[in-house]
Amino acid sequence: MGIRGTDRQIDNIEFNVSDIARSKAFYGSVFGWAFTDYGPGYTEFSDGRLTGGFASGEPVRPGGPLVILYADDLEATQQRVEAAGARISRATFAFPGGRRFHFIDPDGYELAVWTAQA
């Protein structure tokens, strides 16, 4: 997620997986996805149209992948998220290339919002 996204649009989908190598082998052989490794705990995938990631080190989340949106102004977006009634489930944290936070929407779905490092 090192390339800047488009403000307030879905930018990335992240799967927590138990074995990155197994996930790469599966999605690479079945769908022809390409991969870029960012250390032992994260691999970015590309299907030619959309990028996403395989992350290890956290529990596998039942119910699907993590949808990640991009924001030019992370703090203002977090304020709007909270004002609309969502709960912050993971405070803003830094990662190589940017910062992000997670929130729970009114129906209980967890999403994340990221911004590129300034």
Side-chain angles (χ1 to χ4, degrees):
M1 292 192 313
I3 299 173
R4 184 183 177 110
T6 301
D7 190 33
R8 296 189 275 173
Q9 291 186 352
I10 293 174
D11 186 64
N12 198 32
I13 297 173
E14 189 171 278
F15 294 85
N16 282 330
V17 299
S18 58
D19 185 329
I20 289 176
R22 181 181 66 198
S23 296
K24 286 171 60 175
F26 175 80
Y27 286 98
S29 67
V30 174
F31 298 108
W33 292 1
F35 304 96
T36 303
D37 294 328
Y38 290 97
Y42 195 87
T43 295
E44 181 180 71
F45 65 78
S46 174
D47 68 1
R49 185 180 66 86
L50 179 72
T51 62
F54 297 134
S56 65
E58 294 186 29
V60 174
R61 278 192 277 279
L66 178 65
V67 175
I68 303 171
L69 298 99
Y70 184 85
D72 288 335
D73 186 332
L74 193 66
E75 289 74 20
T77 301
Q78 182 172 338
Q79 289 174 357
R80 287 194 304 273
V81 163
E82 290 178 294
R87 179 177 60 84
I88 302 304
S89 57
R90 187 166 181 191
T92 300
F93 64 94
F95 62 89
R99 297 178 298 122
R100 83 181 194 198
F101 70 89
H102 294 210
F103 68 94
I104 306 297
D105 81 357
D107 289 305
Y109 291 104
E110 183 175 30
L111 293 92
V113 182
W114 84 284
T115 194
Q117 285 184 328

